[in-house]
Amino acid sequence: MSPSNPPGRYSADTYIEQLNDSRARIVSTGKQLLDWLSRLDEFAASEFIHLEPMFNLFPFHKRNDTFRLLLELHQSSKRYGTLGVSLRTESMRTDLSNLTTAELGTVLRPFCGPQLSKEHATAFQRLVRFNNRVAALKFLGVEFAPPVGSGPVLPRWFESLEVYGSKCRPLLEDRLAEFLTLSGDLDYEMFEFNSMMGKVRYRSIRCTYTLDDVDPLGPSDPGFKVVSSINPITNNRRYNRMADFKRALKKKQISKELRLDFGRDPSKEEIDLTLKSFRPRRESDWITTKVIKACHLGRLSTEVFETQKNIVAVMQPWNALRSQLQALLP
């Protein structure tokens, strides 16, 4: 596991400190998400305030048409619990949430001019982002139930969100705890793999995260990487992701075969042309027998495949849950 350190020898202590800071952000982010759910209706109302200038443009009368904004509550799988806003007349209807900012600005321009239309379109994106976060809660399996009866859509949405948020909160709390548990399990399995690999050397394999100082969900993108070079003075290392390493192996093998066919070194263009002649195939991120051979790990092959299996068993649910939590972020 290698953080981005300044020039110098690799520092395990520095990495551990960065990893701990990154993990702490998960806890902080979890608290923010739970607070968001506790006040989901209030956050919805605060977002809608930014749309009031746009809503004040309507109804708008032009010749024989009256343009109105229609609000509706969505319960489809992709827009679960969200507020829909459509522009309509007697003869047309445009779902504003399906438009890009530029497209919405064009639609609004006849009603308020070019400058204000851009401002309104930008403000509307706040609602789109909030809607996306609400829709992402569906993975918790909580029913979004609008109040029984009829009445203005907006108050009904706020009321529904208050109930929905309170029901989602304990379930999200459980999923956050699960994510922290999976993160600890993944740390352990990655440590076991890297320990089994032994001392870092050229073409040894490491399982590493991407660490930075801003990701609200902490370490990301765990994966196998091959050491492609080590600076003998600073001990700084360069890594190739497993898929990239496999592509490099394939390219090297093709070059070797062409050299035998041509009786000379093939050109870069000849190698690339041969590569393109093969059926396109995405290289996987997993260690294979060819990788074991190229990295001179034959004596450890059983251990490598066993520890890789253990990592994958944790990594897959970890990635799935992380993606679900990522969709809830502002």
Side-chain angles (χ1 to χ4, degrees):
M1 303 181 186
S2 59
S4 300
N5 289 328
R9 294 185 63 81
Y10 173 78
S11 170
D13 291 339
T14 299
Y15 176 81
I16 292 172
E17 181 180 356
Q18 191 177 13
L19 181 62
N20 289 337
D21 289 344
S22 189
R23 285 273 181 253
R25 285 198 300 277
I26 302 175
V27 177
S28 176
T29 298
K31 291 178 179 178
Q32 292 171 11
L33 287 175
L34 293 173
D35 177 65
W36 177 67
L37 282 180
S38 297
R39 300 186 292 137
L40 196 57
D41 58 327
E42 296 177 28
F43 280 101
S46 67
E47 294 295 342
F48 198 81
I49 288 173
H50 297 278
L51 298 183
E52 287 183 349
M54 186 183 90
F55 272 72
N56 289 336
L57 298 174
F58 302 95
F60 187 95
H61 305 282
K62 184 177 180 181
R63 291 191 285 274
N64 294 327
D65 288 322
T66 298
F67 293 84
R68 304 178 186 276
L69 290 180
L70 173 69
L71 302 183
E72 57 187 326
L73 301 185
H74 289 293
Q75 290 182 274
S76 63
S77 59
K78 291 185 178 180
R79 302 176 69 173
Y80 198 71
T82 64
L83 179 72
V85 183
S86 298
L87 179 64
R88 62 171 295 182
T89 66
E90 291 296 324
S91 60
M92 59 79 68
R93 176 172 170 172
T94 302
D95 188 339
L96 302 188
S97 298
N98 289 333
L99 303 179
T100 65
T101 303
E103 289 170 341
L104 180 55
T106 299
V107 168
L108 294 176
R109 191 174 302 160
F111 308 106
C112 58
Q115 183 57 41
L116 284 178
S117 66
K118 291 180 182 178
E119 295 176 9
H120 295 325
T122 300
F124 190 79
Q125 290 305 309
R126 296 177 62 105
L127 176 65
V128 172
R129 289 191 292 270
F130 182 82
N131 270 339
N132 289 340
R133 296 178 71 190
V134 170
L137 290 167
K138 192 176 187 301
F139 85 98
L140 296 172
V142 176
E143 181 186 7
F144 177 82
V148 177
S150 60
V153 172
L154 197 58
R156 288 165 55 81
W157 187 49
F158 294 153
E159 184 179 346
S160 301
L161 287 179
E162 181 181 15
V163 176
Y164 190 52
S166 66
K167 290 182 178 180
C168 286
R169 193 184 192 283
L171 294 176
L172 180 60
E173 197 166 11
D174 290 343
R175 301 314 297 271
L176 288 166
E178 180 186 354
F179 183 65
L180 286 173
T181 298
L182 286 171
S183 295
D185 293 344
L186 187 55
D187 281 352
Y188 173 80
E189 296 298 345
M190 291 169 69
F191 177 80
E192 287 293 297
F193 178 87
N194 292 334
S195 296
M196 181 266 298
M197 280 285 111
K199 183 179 178 181
V200 176
R201 59 169 178 77
Y202 173 67
R203 282 205 172 176
S204 62
I205 303 174
R206 284 295 183 269
C207 194
T208 72
Y209 291 112
T210 295
L211 291 181
D212 59 43
D213 297 326
V214 296
D215 195 318
L217 288 177
S220 64
D221 195 25
F224 294 101
K225 303 178 180 74
V226 180
V227 179
S228 58
S229 68
I230 303 176
N231 188 306
I233 298 175
T234 65
N235 201 37
N236 282 353
R237 310 156 192 168
R238 290 184 179 275
Y239 293 84
N240 271 359
R241 295 192 66 88
M242 187 57 64
D244 294 332
F245 180 71
K246 288 180 177 179
R247 280 190 286 270
L249 283 181
K250 182 184 291 185
K251 193 170 185 178
K252 184 176 181 180
Q253 180 62 33
I254 288 174
S255 177
K256 181 179 179 180
E257 292 172 358
L258 290 178
R259 188 179 297 111
L260 291 174
D261 291 342
F262 297 162
R264 59 171 174 81
D265 288 337
S267 66
K268 180 179 181 301
E269 291 73 17
E270 288 169 333
I271 295 173
D272 291 340
L273 186 62
T274 304
L275 276 171
K276 290 179 181 178
S277 68
F278 291 113
R279 178 183 299 177
R281 188 186 71 176
R282 182 182 180 276
E283 296 291 348
S284 75
D285 295 317
W286 312 123
I287 301 168
T288 62
T289 302
K290 287 184 178 180
V291 171
I292 292 287
K293 182 178 179 181
C295 294
H296 308 291
L297 294 171
R299 62 183 179 83
L300 290 175
S301 59
T302 300
E303 291 88 343
V304 169
F305 288 129
E306 183 64 27
T307 51
Q308 175 177 244
K309 183 178 71 174
N310 294 338
I311 288 175
V312 173
V314 180
M315 188 186 295
Q316 290 180 336
W318 183 89
N319 275 326
L321 183 51
R322 194 181 197 279
S323 295
Q324 291 168 330
L325 296 175
Q326 183 81 39
L328 300 179
L329 300 179

